[in-house]
């Protein structure tokens, strides 16, 4: 399934593009820089046999919206991207989920786990 989902915190990030599908426990796959959700195109179908797979474009990448830049670049921080991911999964009905990050996506995953 593909589409765009609006996040509640609109002043930070307007929308996130994602593909998701499958059956089973949820897993969130985060791409690296300068990539998009397409990073997972070969892995996601295999995982979807046993998991509900969620592959978003992180803010500022691909088809997701790009926040207005701030003086301190807070809108582009890993913390802001991690907050988006938590909100995204919450809106999809997942309060607990596995998290996988590639390259810079691993930094976002790490922040999500810590915060």
């Amino acid at each position: 399934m593909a589409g765009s989902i609006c996040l509640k915190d609109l002043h930070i990030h307007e929308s996130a593009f994602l593909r998701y599908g499958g059956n089973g426990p949820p897993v969130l796959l985060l791409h690296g820089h300068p990539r998009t959700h397409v990073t997972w195109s070969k892995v996601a179908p295999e995982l979807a046999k046993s998991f509900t797979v969620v592959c978003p474009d992180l803010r500022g990448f691909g088809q997701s919206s790009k926040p207005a830049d701030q003086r301190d670049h807070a809108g582009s921080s890993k913390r802001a991207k991690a907050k988006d991911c938590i909100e995204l999964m919450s809106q999809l009905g997942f309060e607990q989920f596995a998290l996988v990050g590639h390259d810079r996506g691993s930094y976002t995953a790490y922040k999500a786990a810590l915060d």
Side-chain angles (χ1 to χ4, degrees):
M1 199 179 256
S4 201
I5 190 166
C6 289
L7 301 178
K8 292 177 184 172
D9 200 353
L10 295 179
H11 71 278
I12 292 178
H13 186 55
E14 294 176 10
S15 66
F17 180 84
L18 67 139
R19 290 189 182 275
Y20 68 100
N23 294 300
V27 60
L28 176 62
L29 305 179
L30 303 179
H31 64 81
H33 176 79
R35 306 204 182 259
T36 67
H37 71 280
V38 178
T39 296
W40 304 104
S41 64
K42 292 185 179 178
V43 175
E46 290 301 313
L47 287 172
K49 293 176 183 175
S50 302
F51 298 93
T52 299
V53 178
V54 180
C55 301
D57 285 345
L58 293 169
R59 68 164 59 201
F61 291 88
Q63 296 179 56
S64 288
S65 59
K66 181 179 178 182
D69 207 5
Q70 301 168 9
R71 198 162 244 251
D72 64 356
H73 306 291
S76 299
S77 70
K78 302 301 184 273
R79 175 167 278 136
K81 291 174 185 175
K83 184 178 176 185
D84 290 345
C85 292
I86 300 299
E87 175 66 25
L88 168 70
M89 294 302 280
S90 179
Q91 285 198 30
L92 292 173
F94 305 123
E95 298 304 321
Q96 294 185 338
F97 51 90
L99 185 54
V100 178
H102 172 260
D103 186 48
R104 299 283 174 97
S106 65
Y107 300 162
T108 299
Y110 185 68
K111 277 312 249 182
L114 288 177
D115 292 349

